[in-house]
Every structure is written in structure tokens, then in C-alpha cells.
Amino acid sequence: KQWYQRRVAITAGMIEEPDRDFEEGYLPEIHNSFTHRDLSKKINILHSIAKILRKQRKESGAISIQQCKIKFSLNKENSMPSGLGSYKSKESNKLIEEFMLKANVSVAEKLIEHYPDNAIIRRHSGPKENVLKETKKVLERMGIEMDTTSSKMMQEALNLLQHAPNQPTSVGLVVASLLAKCMSLATYHSSGEFDSPTDYFHYGLSMELYTHFTSPIRRYPDLIAHRQLQAILEGKKIGPMDFDEVSELAELSSQKKYASKLASDKSGELFLWLFLREQIAMHEPASVVDIGSESIDVLVLRYGVQVRIWRDYIGENIEFQAKEKHWAHITWPAEGDKKKCSKRYELLDNVVVIMKAGKQLFKINGALPRPDSTDELHVPNLEGFASEDV
């Protein structure tokens, strides 16, 4: 039986450290003779349930394309980026995610039941077919066959790639990055915009009905859902907004959501450029994702950033031969005590990329080191860094 009430949830590291003794004042006041150990026990029961829910979601066809997300630490004095790393999801994040999804679905069902023509819903139409078709061609050139007929088949293929024995971590990261670019953005709607409930379907979550309810402090559609639910709980037959109002606000919210994504992406690019501007150079593990007639594109594996390496930035007097979309062969001249050397690069090859800030805002210049000098570079390794960790 479902019930709807206002509650507050807190994990406070109890999943990562279930036996931790919290110092006085660290947690909010706990009432009714309960202790932090009682809370820890309950939260870890919820964690066990969340694992089951997550497994069921994936089995029903939900797709989870985990990409590397870059994060920055800021200088306290001037707020400029002083360090960077990759975001990793904790078990507590996964617990909260599962129950947030459950809450969103439950609220969506309640809203549709009472306000079938003007409930706020979130819909995802799935991948962009033209982009997906081109991505399949890219994967085939990499020697990867992938069934993309449904989200379930796509997720199963991605899981096999990420967990295959002796499979480099880079392969899963590259494929996830390519698939993410195929996905259309989910959008907000008034339920009355569609003729059939099947049109409410959310492809990514593989859910027949979904809304956003759990983050009203940062998303306006959640506020609409809260107001509609509150009206239902107060027994009101007519919602606080009619069809036209919900539809107009849903469309505006979708536009703003897209704009905020663009702003977030550009902010990341800007902060990376600002950080690199203060460095001599960064040497990072990367993987080849595309080859042009004059360039090689690589995915920087720890940060999910794609960098183009133009032949002019590789070195002076180099020879660059390429079969577009397939391979590139680069020859470096003799230099000092180093002899003439060459190397062939193909799709999915793991390489070291030298990253520098360009003179132009946002511009990141990439270069490849000579094959006979990579041992001299300080390059972070990917040991212990798995694609499912990001």
C-alpha cells in the first residue's frame, strides 16, 4: 500500500562505514530513543533493497551509460581551478538514486490518476536514429558488434564489453562515450498532450510513466509536481494549473534544462582551459576514437574529454599518412641522440596525449609524444579505475 507524507532522509556515510561511531554534534538530533547505530542498521537494510531495485531495473531494460565526469577543486582566494579529478559515484548515491526513482514513479502514477489531462510528466524518446546509425558504423570499424534494437539489448552489450575478461578498461569508456552522444534529451510535458499512455514512455529508464518530484530546490517541474500532489492530498478535484499552463511551463522547462546543460558543458571546458593555462603540459592516458586525413581524435580516459590532435602539433618535420576513419602512420625524424622512429595508430589504440591550453579561449591543443620517449613521461595509470566506477 502506498502512502504519501513529507519526510527527510540522511545517510551520513553510514553505508561506507556502517560501524562508525559518530562524534557528538555530527548528526542532527535523533528522537524517540533511537541511536545512530539504529539508523545505520535501517539505512543498510534500505541499501540492500536498493541493490535489488537496481538489478530489477536493469533486467527490465533500463540503460545506464556511465561516463567519466570531470570535477575541479577551486582556489579559495580567487575561485580559479587549482586541481582536477573524476567524479565517482558512492554507494550512498546509488541508494538515494533508486528510492528517488521510486518516489518519482509513485508520484507520476498519483498525478495521472487524479489529473489525467494536465499532470506534469518527463518523457524520453530514445536515441537519435541517424546518430545511432553512424555510431554503429564507428563501432564496427573498431571491431565491435552491438545490438541497438532496444535499451535492454544495448545495456547487455555494454555490460559484456565492460566486464569481458582481459578487456581493457578503455574499451568500455570509449563505447559508453559514443553511445551517450546518440541519446536524445528527455523532455517535460503535460500528460494531455498525448493520445495514448504508451506515449509517456521513458526510454532510458524503461518506465511507462515518470516525472520529476524529488528536487524542487533546483528544478521548477518538481515544484509543479509538488503543488499537484499537495492539491490531491487536500482532496481538490481540479489541479492548481490547467492543461495550457502545465504544457507551456513544461516546454519552457525543457528549453531551460537544455540551456543549463550547454552552460554546464561549456563551464567544464572553460575551467579545464583555465587549469591547463597554468600548467606546462599534462600527460594523460587516452584512446583513439577517430582518425581524419590530418588529425587523430582521442578520448582522455580519466576525464571523458575528447581532444583533437592535429598533425602540426605533433612535431616538426613529421610524416603523417592516414586512411581516414581507419588508421594513421606517423614518422618522427632523428632528433639529438634519438633515431628516426614511426608508429601506426588505429581505432581503440591506447596512447598518451600531451594536453596544453591553446591561445584561443576553450581551445585545448593535443599532441602525441615520440614512441621512443613515452617512458620518460609521468603518466597516471588506470589501475583500479573501472568504467563502472564513474
Side-chain angles (χ1 to χ4, degrees), residues 142-384:
M142 293 177 173
I144 298 171
E145 295 287 337
M146 179 168 281
D147 187 342
T148 59
T149 53
S150 69
S151 59
K152 182 178 176 65
M153 299 306 295
M154 201 182 300
Q155 184 66 61
E156 288 178 356
L158 187 56
N159 288 343
L160 286 174
L161 276 174
Q162 291 176 336
H163 299 100
N166 303 317
Q167 181 80 275
T169 298
S170 57
V171 175
L173 293 170
V174 168
V175 175
S177 176
L178 292 172
L179 290 178
K181 294 176 182 178
C182 301
M183 295 297 159
S184 59
L185 295 177
T187 48
Y188 297 104
H189 298 271
S190 176
S191 53
E193 295 176 25
F194 304 102
D195 297 327
S196 170
T198 57
D199 294 326
Y200 302 157
F201 189 71
H202 193 293
Y203 178 90
L205 297 173
S206 191
M207 290 179 176
E208 295 179 1
L209 183 62
Y210 191 68
T211 194
H212 270 165
F213 169 79
T214 51
S215 298
I217 62 170
R218 65 184 181 90
R219 291 188 305 231
Y220 193 75
D222 299 55
L223 280 176
I224 298 175
H226 272 254
R227 290 165 182 167
Q228 291 183 330
L229 181 60
Q230 186 63 35
I232 291 169
L233 296 179
E234 291 173 359
K236 295 180 179 178
K237 300 290 185 182
I238 300 175
M241 299 177 185
D242 62 22
F243 167 79
D244 289 335
E245 287 177 296
V246 175
S247 186
E248 183 179 347
L249 287 170
E251 183 178 359
L252 180 61
S253 296
S254 296
Q255 294 170 359
K256 296 297 184 182
K257 178 72 174 177
Y258 177 61
S260 68
K261 181 185 183 304
L262 293 180
S264 176
D265 291 346
K266 278 298 179 184
S267 175
E269 291 176 24
L270 175 61
F271 270 50
L272 179 59
W273 181 82
L274 290 169
F275 177 78
L276 288 174
R277 191 178 61 170
E278 303 301 318
Q279 316 298 313
I280 297 174
M282 275 180 62
H283 307 129
E284 285 291 332
S287 192
V288 177
V289 294
D290 196 14
I291 294 172
S293 59
E294 300 283 329
S295 63
I296 296 175
D297 288 359
V298 299
L299 179 71
V300 182
L301 298 172
R302 295 202 303 161
Y303 308 124
V305 177
Q306 192 161 313
V307 175
R308 176 158 293 177
I309 302 168
W310 291 100
R311 63 174 295 168
D312 293 345
Y313 287 101
I314 296 174
E316 295 182 1
N317 302 318
I318 62 114
E319 297 175 20
F320 187 100
Q321 298 173 306
K323 182 180 180 182
E324 210 166 333
K325 306 292 183 185
H326 290 83
W327 56 263
H329 190 274
I330 304 173
T331 302
W332 284 262
E335 185 180 282
D337 59 350
K338 288 183 168 59
K339 298 180 180 179
K340 182 178 180 180
C341 63
S342 62
K343 186 172 181 178
R344 178 185 172 100
Y345 297 89
E346 298 181 356
L347 297 175
L348 284 183
D349 277 357
N350 288 333
V351 299
V352 174
V353 62
I354 304 171
M355 298 169 63
K356 297 181 179 180
K359 293 181 180 179
Q360 188 178 355
L361 196 66
F362 296 107
K363 176 71 173 176
I364 306 296
N365 294 330
L368 290 170
R370 294 174 60 101
D372 54 6
S373 66
T374 53
D375 291 341
E376 304 167 11
L377 303 176
H378 174 67
V379 183
N381 62 50
L382 288 176
E383 186 177 350

Side-chain angles (χ1 to χ4, degrees), residues 66 87-94 97 388-390:
Q66 300 288 353
Y87 172 80
K88 292 187 178 181
S89 179
K90 297 179 180 179
E91 288 301 307
S92 54
N93 299 125
K94 295 175 183 178
E97 178 188 11
E388 61 266 28
D389 288 339
V390 299

